[in-house]
Amino acid sequence: MRTVQLLFILLGVAGLAYWFTMGGDSQVAQVPAEPTSAIVEITIPETLSDNARVGKVAFEAKCSVCHGADAVGHTDVAPPLVHKIYEPSHHADESFQRAVSLGVRQHHWPFGNMPPVEGLTRGDVTMIIAYVRELQRANGIN
C-alpha cells in the first residue's frame, strides 16, 4: 500500500513539474510586430445587433491585434475565432470569459499560451462574445 501511495506522489510531483515547465513565458503567444495573413476567410453579416456593435469596438481595441480583424486569426500568432472549434457547443460563452480573465494554455492550435487580457470587464467580454457569435452564425457556425 505504501508503494502505491509513493508512486502517486511521485507521479503528482512529475506532473506539476511538467505543468510548470511547459507553462513558461516562452510559450506565450506574441503580439505581431506587423500585420500577418488571415487564417480563414469569412462572410461579414450585413447587420449586427446593438450588443455585437459594442462588442466589435471592444474586439477591435483589445483582441484584433492577435486574433485579426473580424476574428479571422493571424498566421503564427493566434487562431481565428470564426472556426468550428469555437462553436458554442464546444466553447461556451464562459470559455471566452475565462480565457480573457485567466488566459489559456495552448491546446487546439500551435500558437502558444494566451495571456489574460487586462482592461476588460465581464460585461465587455459579453459584448465581444455577442460579436463573435454573430460572425460565427453568419458563417454557418452555430
Side-chain angles (χ1 to χ4, degrees):
M1 181 71 167
R2 190 156 171 81
T3 305
V4 173
Q5 289 174 331
L6 182 59
L7 180 62
F8 279 116
I9 290 170
L10 288 174
L11 285 172
V13 169
L16 284 172
Y18 175 81
W19 184 77
F20 281 113
T21 302
M22 297 309 291
D25 288 340
S26 64
Q27 288 195 2
V28 173
Q30 300 297 311
V31 175
E34 296 181 25
T36 57
S37 59
I39 296 172
V40 296
E41 292 183 28
I42 66 167
T43 300
I44 305 296
E46 289 185 25
T47 61
L48 293 170
S49 68
D50 290 342
N51 287 351
R53 281 197 300 272
V54 171
K56 180 178 181 171
V57 171
F59 184 92
E60 289 171 348
K62 289 291 196 170
C63 311
S64 66
V65 67
C66 292
H67 288 286
D70 300 312
V72 296
H74 270 308
T75 301
D76 298 326
V77 178
L81 300 177
V82 182
H83 191 280
K84 183 173 177 44
I85 286 176
Y86 298 104
E87 68 185 354
S89 65
H90 190 250
H91 283 86
D93 293 356
E94 187 61 25
S95 295
F96 287 94
Q97 291 283 357
R98 292 178 58 82
V100 169
S101 65
L102 303 172
V104 178
R105 287 194 171 283
Q106 173 180 303
H107 56 290
H108 290 298
W109 303 89
F111 299 112
N113 300 332
M114 176 183 149
V117 180
E118 296 181 9
L120 290 173
T121 66
R122 279 188 68 85
D124 296 332
V125 177
T126 297
M127 298 301 150
I128 291 170
I129 294 166
Y131 172 60
V132 170
R133 295 299 190 208
E134 288 186 28
L135 289 173
Q136 290 175 336
R137 281 191 297 275
N139 288 275
I141 301 166
N142 297 313

